[in-house]
Amino acid sequence: MIVPNLALRPGRSFFIRTQFLANVFPSRGLLSGRLFVAFHGLVVERKVRLPILRMLDATFAVKSIQHYMKYLSTLFISLLVLTTGFGQKNISMSDAILKGRTLSPESLSGVQWVPGTHTFTYRAENKLVRMEAGNQAIDTIDLLSQLNAAAQAAGMDAFSGLPGFQWKAADEMWFQKGSTIYEYKLGKDLKAVNAMPEGTAGADVHEKNYNAAYSVDDELRVCINGKESVVAKSEKDGIVYGKSVHREEFGIYKGTFWSPSGRYLAFYRMDESMVTEYPIYVLDEMPAKAEMIRYPYSGAKSHHVTLGIYDTQTGTTSYLNTGEPVEQYLTNIAWTPDDKQVLIAVLNREQNHMWLNAYDVASGNLAKTLFEEKNDKWVEPQHPAIFVPGSDSEFIWESERDGFNHLYLYNLSGKMIRQLSEGPNPVTQNYGFTKDGSRCFYQMATNYGMDRDLYMVGLDKKAKPVKLSQEKGTHFASVSEDGRYLVDYFSNEKTPRTIFLADTEKPSRPKIIFSASNPLEEYAVGMTKMLQLKAEDGTVLNARMILPTNFDGSKKYPAIVYVYNGPHVQLVSNTWMGAGALWMHHMAEEGYVLFTIDGRGSANRGQAFENAIHRQLGDLEVADQLVGVNYLKHQSFVDADRIGVFGWSYGGFMTTSLMTRPEAKGAFKCGVAGGPVIDWRMYEIMYTERYMDSPEENPEGYEKNSLFNYIDNLDGRLLMIHGSSDNVVLWQHSLRYIRECVRKGKQIDYFVYPEHLHNVRGKDRVHLFEKIEQFFADNL
């Protein structure tokens, strides 16, 4: 609370702990002077001459000091928000959607440490800037001009822009442009070291010898020194080689894995011929054409995956004997440094038992189960083993076994050497090791998941983690090869971006090397307020509220709750503007209060917080969202009868739940549900069975959380939106829901985006948000 001095006379100055200095003229209803207010971390200083929002009369009767304090606090919040946006231009919905990059804080682009040095580089348009960390000396290279001069000398086509590259040595880099891979020495030769045919997909290039693996149609191929070979070709429809598997769960995003030397290529083979086919309609053909995809519903048959090994020297392929049952998950593929073994985190279909297995490449047989992990709810490996530089046997494994994601040092005998990170906060990113393997660096979610801090820990038994970041907020790091220096990207609610250069031997004295200006300085932006509320059991829940531009504390505003509240997503954090999206600030300009709360089940709070939703998706999430609604309804400036809700995907499931579940009755006047899950029996195996178990194991949970059961409770306006080509949450969800609404005589608004996938992208996204905006304007 802002605490004012109690002295208040017409025409006299007063202050709020030296934060507010102004003259009050009650007879004219004006306040003038200088406003300097710190409120929930937001600091604003401006000259003001504005109408007093709640008239302060010279003979104001103060019933009590407490009443007076509350009265003035409301006034000063109003003044703070009003002056924040006074005289500035508005953010259009089109700008909010299409100009996200230009309206985001600036940064240093493409920061990389040069191997073997204390120098890092970044890009400035088509030039390369180098900074030496020790003395911060800077020089600039016109890299594009150098590249084009080298290209001309080699008889190659010129480059139109600076390509993305990776340093290989102090003066040597490599990059891929189009289908060609190049190597370049600064100021010297440019040469093409490998080339793939046009029309390839999913290129995976080995960083040392530039061997490339990729797909062409239904074939997996490799190109070595310009010579192409076919590794595998699909025998029939439903068999896929070299692509991501298991619906890209478990951290899987690709299907090929080069060995450290580049001799071997491990690749996924997925047989999904037994999986249910589902039609996706192509509309421009007459009649419309149905393209079939394979979609594994929960409780139904799943695909079968094996791992192949291709030897580039002999041109032969073998398969690892990963055994039975065939419906298991092969996740987190890692090679041992000597190319002799492949580590696979094998997970049962029930996802409650994981084996980290080492397979012998020569024989294909299981060499050893290094260790197992079990949990009565779920085990979810997300990161492959990372071997310590200089060691053929020691590696780091990430696990939530103690309730929070931490780093564990193991060896290939299966012995845990020690736990490296510790405490009631999860590791959210592992930055890897120093070149000598003596230390590793990582990021951890702290302060109930709101902040991100940087840590360093030695691998010897006596070493304790050292906190490297200083400011309270969100930090990301890029670490030099020897670990002496790091570039620290920092932001928090009121800081757009500051980049520090830190000496890890003196982490308390980082130096600012870049500071971004506020990209929204010229725009009217409502105040963002960060909150911590409590669930029914006392669990702390993080929330964010964005107040309308030109906020007037005496008015009643409609509110919009933006919701997700599902696994692996966090919407509220201590980063720039509290991680609120630009479209929210546009809606604040239109006079709405925007509110978001991360309830139990959302990410980066530890296992107990996240797995509390197990077998009952929707129950606790609805309860926690209602905590936020209850908070809103107790704010004097929120109209309790005009609250809406909007969410997409899991958020669409939540929106529909909040509009129809009996425990949320009357909470919302209207809602927008995009791409909603309606019944978990219709959603994919990998995700659903992790959180709900199978329909056979948990029939009560599936039935209770099927939203078909609550249609009779719908009494507000519900707009449902879906992409007709959605291959994640199938169109069938919302179509069946509409059919049941019609059968029950319930009115529902509905809109389809033809041939869009799970979300609406590109310029059509402006149309989507304009439709959402109009719906709330009509109903709130």
Side-chain angles (χ1 to χ4, degrees), residues 308-327:
I309 305 292
Y310 177 74
D311 186 339
T312 62
Q313 291 186 6
T314 63
T316 58
T317 297
S318 59
Y319 286 86
L320 302 182
N321 300 317
T322 49
E324 302 286 340
V326 291
E327 289 192 357

Side-chain angles (χ1 to χ4, degrees), residues 127-155:
K127 297 181 179 180
L128 184 69
V129 180
R130 294 189 293 196
M131 176 181 284
E132 205 287 315
N135 56 21
Q136 296 183 57
I138 295 176
D139 71 319
T140 302
I141 301 171
D142 190 346
L143 185 57
L144 182 61
S145 295
Q146 283 195 12
L147 277 173
N148 282 334
Q152 183 179 19

Side-chain angles (χ1 to χ4, degrees), residues 48-113:
V48 293
R49 185 176 177 83
L50 300 167
I52 296 177
L53 301 177
R54 289 188 175 183
M55 183 66 69
L56 292 178
D57 192 88
T59 58
F60 178 88
V62 180
K63 296 178 181 179
S64 69
I65 291 177
Q66 290 79 12
H67 174 75
Y68 175 74
M69 304 274 277
K70 181 178 180 182
Y71 181 89
L72 285 184
S73 292
T74 302
L75 167 66
F76 297 141
I77 295 171
S78 302
L79 288 170
L80 175 60
V81 179
L82 182 62
T83 57
T84 300
F86 185 69
Q88 297 175 312
K89 60 186 181 181
N90 294 331
I91 301 172
S92 69
M93 185 62 85
S94 178
D95 286 349
I97 301 304
L98 299 180
K99 294 185 178 180
R101 286 190 176 181
T102 57
L103 294 179
S104 295
E106 293 181 344
S107 186
L108 300 182
S109 175
V111 169
Q112 289 187 67
W113 288 93

Side-chain angles (χ1 to χ4, degrees), residues 356-390:
L356 185 63
N357 288 342
Y359 294 89
D360 181 69
V361 170
S363 68
N365 294 327
L366 174 66
K368 184 180 182 63
T369 295
L370 303 184
F371 56 83
E372 303 177 36
E373 291 189 9
K374 297 180 182 180
N375 191 288
D376 60 355
K377 293 184 178 178
W378 67 73
V379 178
E380 189 181 5
Q382 287 281 319
H383 305 279
I386 301 178
F387 279 82
V388 177

